[in-house]
Amino acid sequence: MSNPSQASVRATSSGIEVEVVYGPGSHGTLGEPGSYPFTRGPYPTMYRGRTWTMRQYAGFGTARETNQRFKALLAAGQTGLSVAFDLPTQMGLDSDSPMAAGEVGKVGVAIDNLDDMRTLLDGLPLGEVTTSMTINATAPILLLLYQLVAEEQGVPPERIRGTVQNDILKEYIARGTYIYPPAASMRLVTDLFAYCSKELRSWNTISISGYHIREAGATAAQELAFTLANGIAYVKAAVDAGMDVNSFGPRLSFFWNSHNHLFEEAAKFRAARRLWATIMKERFGATDRAAQRMRFHTQTAGSTLTAQQPENNIVRTALQAVAATLGGTQSLHTNAFDEALGLPTQRSATIALRTQQILAAESGVTDTVDPLAGSYYVESLTDSLEEVAIRLIDETDRLGGAVAAIEQGFPQGEIEEAAYRASLRIESGEDTVVGVNRYADDVGAGVEPLEVDPEVELQQRDRVIRFRAGRDPVAVEGTLGELEAAARGGGNLMYPMKAALVADATLGEVSDALRRVFGVHRPR
């Protein structure tokens, strides 16, 4: 048997050296599940009381096509909706805008107006299911359209439940679907907070997202740190706007990536809860337990999916899902195995859902709360990730907080460097990617990716033109003018925005009204 001291050095993505063996030692505060600092989970019984929500992300082409996919997923046992929007919708462009050409319906569903949202949600039980919408710069518009359709269905405000991502800071860091400068964007975020605290009290007002930060190449510790730093900025902005942290804090939620290193990922989720509870209690004075605890959605890592031997991705996704559930996620999306090739097919989406159902029903992960608690290895990783994250948060604070740090390029630079180092490790063979730099073969899988019909864009453009022709232009212009006036002042923009949408203003027209006041962000 080899001498453990002579074994090769191994480390996690965050550079935390992994010992050959772990034993008893000091570790951070664990506490009990459902109690501060929530290391072991936000609720006392976790999955013994309620299994995580199986929320498969879907959206492509037209609202009608996506509606049909939602109904198929619900029939297959999905328990929550998750909407992907196309790039023009994310950027505040109508489908007939010249800048939208070639992108309509490609990476998500095109939603231009209230009629599109009615079609998207037709026949769906909005009073029974929760809906997550991955939308940021235009989040207020999509939330209001959703609310208007739910009201038309007769759903009372307290039963309109779901989450809008509404996390604009990570767009400046990692993703790029921003419209307005940071200060104006932060105003829209906090206006949505305040609106929901009065009108939609069961709605989660933000999903502070580490997912896209990780997809851009961040390590687990960087994902943890920069996401929480953004969370601090949102809470501070809301408090500075006069809101009570105990009032809006319980409606904050998070969105994490689950990557390949099973134990580091599970530890990351545990560290995230403990760090956030400490931040909310000690930095912001939150006394309500619901305002201290972190609830989060998880998605398996799209960046780990390979076009080579794509069926290997089923195994990767399953392991990432195990990490998320061992880490205590409240909802989960499992990627389809063919997403490195294109949009998921009905078959691949169903396999991804079945992966969650097998995990919930057959694996035993729901039998007991926090099954990894007390593992010498996991507790050590949890502490180490927390320590690295605190150093990065402290550096962000030193630079003036998340907004100032983003403007100075700090998180972007750290992530770019981490992504570069990871790429070098794969190219050198130091890190293995099965089917890519080891165990490669020339056997084709014969996977046929889903393709969006080019006619979709032409049809959607025609729908927008017909929609505009059938409305009262005077009413539209009047409400858009009122929105512009409100944007130049200091009132909550959600109310005039809602009035404009009721008058049949389009998403692009509402966004343009704000562009005329706020301008657009130009990165340095």
Side-chain angles (χ1 to χ4, degrees):
M1 184 175 178
S2 62
N3 185 338
S5 66
Q6 298 174 342
S8 60
V9 174
R10 297 185 183 181
T12 71
S13 76
S14 303
I16 297 167
E17 187 172 327
V18 178
E19 303 293 339
V20 177
V21 66
Y22 287 81
S26 62
H27 54 70
T29 306
L30 289 182
E32 294 297 322
S35 298
Y36 184 88
F38 304 100
T39 310
R40 304 190 62 193
Y43 303 111
T45 59
M46 290 299 289
Y47 306 143
R48 285 289 289 269
R50 179 183 176 185
T51 304
W52 65 88
T53 301
M54 300 179 191
R55 194 186 302 283
Q56 292 299 111
Y57 191 47
F60 61 96
T62 67
R64 190 167 304 282
E65 289 175 299
T66 304
N67 174 265
Q68 292 168 352
R69 175 65 65 88
F70 284 151
K71 288 175 178 174
L73 287 168
L74 288 171
Q78 177 172 300
T79 54
L81 302 177
S82 183
V83 189
F85 297 96
D86 71 356
L87 192 57
T89 303
Q90 295 178 50
M91 299 299 292
L93 301 170
D94 288 334
S95 294
D96 63 340
S97 167
M99 293 181 66
E103 292 294 340
V104 176
K106 288 292 178 66
V107 298
V109 61
I111 298 294
D112 293 308
N113 49 56
L114 185 54
D115 270 359
D116 285 340
M117 187 62 85
R118 290 184 180 113
T119 302
L120 178 71
L121 303 174
D122 181 53
L124 299 176
L126 301 186
E128 299 172 20
V129 299
T130 60
T131 302
S132 173
M133 295 190 285
T134 304
I135 195 71
N136 297 284
T138 55
I141 301 173
L142 274 301
L143 172 59
L144 290 168
L145 290 173
Y146 186 93
Q147 178 189 1
L148 289 169
V149 173
E151 289 174 346
E152 289 176 354
Q153 290 189 6
V155 181
E158 64 273 13
R159 291 184 59 194
I160 299 176
R161 297 177 298 119
T163 304
V164 66
Q165 192 161 97
N166 196 32
D167 177 6
I168 200 63
L169 292 180
K170 65 94 172 51
E171 297 296 326
Y172 300 113
I173 293 174
R175 195 163 173 266
T177 63
Y178 45 73
I179 301 175
Y180 318 108
S185 295
M186 290 295 283
R187 175 181 173 184
L188 288 169
V189 169
T190 54
D191 279 358
L192 192 150
F193 282 13
Y195 177 83
C196 289
S197 71
K198 294 181 179 178
E199 311 292 345
L200 298 172
R201 298 183 64 86
S202 297
W203 191 268
N204 296 321
T205 54
I206 194 169
S207 180
I208 305 164
S209 177
Y211 184 85
H212 305 95
I213 290 172
R214 190 64 175 281
E215 291 290 282
T219 67
Q222 288 173 339
E223 177 192 3
L224 183 59
F226 295 135
T227 304
L228 295 184
N230 289 348
I232 290 168
Y234 292 127
V235 174
K236 183 177 185 302
V239 170
D240 289 348
M243 298 180 66
D244 178 5
V245 69
N246 288 310
S247 175
F248 71 83
R251 303 320 303 171
L252 305 179
S253 65
F254 284 77
F255 174 23
W256 298 109
N257 197 308
S258 190
H259 227 261
N260 278 338
H261 195 299
L262 189 154
F263 297 106
E264 183 180 37
E265 294 303 298
K268 177 188 74 181
F269 300 131
R270 302 171 85 250
R273 278 191 297 267
R274 189 160 73 204
L275 268 169
W276 187 245
T278 303
I279 288 166
M280 290 295 278
K281 181 179 180 180
E282 297 183 2
R283 189 182 291 224
F284 294 108
T287 54
D288 186 335
R289 184 171 67 175
Q292 297 170 348
R293 69 185 175 201
M294 172 188 286
R295 300 166 301 112
F296 61 87
H297 171 72
T298 308
Q299 181 173 337
T300 58
S303 60
T304 67
L305 304 180
T306 63
Q308 302 93 327
Q309 301 179 19
E311 285 156 336
N312 293 348
N313 296 327
I314 298 173
V315 181
R316 293 187 178 101
T317 295
L319 287 173
Q320 293 161 7
V322 170
T325 55
L326 289 177
T329 192
Q330 276 59 71
S331 67
L332 178 63
H333 166 89
T334 36
N335 289 325
F337 72 86
D338 55 357
E339 289 189 50
L341 303 170
L343 291 170
T345 63
Q346 183 69 51
R347 172 175 173 266
S348 66
T350 302
I351 291 172
L353 177 59
R354 296 287 183 253
T355 301
Q356 292 201 51
Q357 291 167 335
I358 291 169
L359 184 57
E362 300 182 23
S363 72
V365 298
T366 63
D367 289 348
T368 189
V369 177
D370 193 18
L372 294 181
S375 160
Y376 303 138
Y377 179 33
V378 171
E379 301 299 356
S380 175
L381 280 178
T382 303
D383 294 346
S384 296
L385 282 165
E386 188 174 17
E387 290 167 7
V388 177
I390 287 172
R391 288 200 297 270
L392 288 169
I393 292 170
D394 287 345
E395 178 63 15
T396 301
D397 286 341
R398 189 187 68 78
L399 294 172
V403 176
I406 290 166
E407 291 174 340
Q408 295 169 64
F410 171 61
Q412 299 95 310
E414 293 290 304
I415 294 166
E416 287 168 7
E417 178 63 25
Y420 175 67
R421 291 196 302 268
S423 177
L424 289 181
R425 290 195 302 271
I426 293 171
E427 288 179 11
S428 68
E430 181 181 351
D431 287 355
T432 295
V433 181
V434 173
V436 176
N437 64 0
R438 289 189 71 185
Y439 313 114
D441 59 43
D442 297 324
V443 178
V447 175
E448 292 291 334
L450 178 68
E451 295 183 1
V452 176
D453 189 337
E455 286 294 314
V456 164
E457 180 165 335
L458 298 177
Q459 294 167 5
Q460 185 66 19
R461 290 175 61 186
D462 288 343
R463 272 190 288 273
V464 177
I465 294 168
R466 289 197 304 272
F467 180 83
R468 290 200 194 96
R471 63 190 188 174
D472 179 351
V474 175
V476 173
E477 289 304 315
T479 57
L480 290 174
E482 291 171 2
L483 174 59
E484 279 193 54
R488 296 183 194 282
N492 190 311
L493 295 175
M494 296 292 287
Y495 294 96
M497 202 179 297
K498 185 178 183 181
L501 295 170
V502 169
D504 286 338
T506 66
L507 173 138
E509 290 168 337
V510 170
S511 300
D512 284 343
L514 297 177
R515 284 186 183 95
R516 287 191 288 270
V517 178
F518 297 145
V520 295
H521 177 65
R522 304 290 185 192
R524 294 179 182 179

